[in-house]
Amino acid sequence: MLTLSGPLTQLEAPRVLREGEAQLGQVREAGTPTLCVDCAGLSQVDSSALAVLLSWQRTAQSAGIALDIAGAPEALSNLAALYGVESLLATVPASAEHHHARH
């Protein structure tokens, strides 16, 4: 599980990108088929957040790892829809995640 929190904007994107790429490398070495990215703690996002997630998605696909993005804040989902990339991000809306947690 890779948990994102706080802002993920142009300022934080290079550091967060490197951290996620390192985690994907560890997942690949461990032979784990899936990495879940928990975005519920993100407080602020811009298009840089999408760029980071899409980069991780490409890296994961090339390594044969499924990248599940959970808890995407509405702002991130809206950006993905705006740029037409929502289908590339295997997102689970935050509302659906909370719904499942109650059962």
Side-chain angles (χ1 to χ4, degrees), residues 40-103:
L42 289 174
S43 60
Q44 181 183 4
V45 295
D46 65 11
S47 58
S48 301
L50 273 184
V52 166
L53 293 172
L54 289 170
S55 178
W56 289 348
Q57 185 78 300
R58 285 189 297 273
T59 300
Q61 283 178 341
S62 67
I65 299 167
L67 191 69
D68 291 334
I69 299 167
E74 187 175 354
L76 185 61
S77 298
N78 290 344
L79 278 173
L82 178 69
Y83 288 105
V85 296
E86 66 272 28
S87 63
L88 297 176
L89 299 176
T91 58
V92 177
S95 58
E97 180 123 314
H98 292 298
H99 180 73
H100 291 299
R102 284 190 215 122
H103 292 286

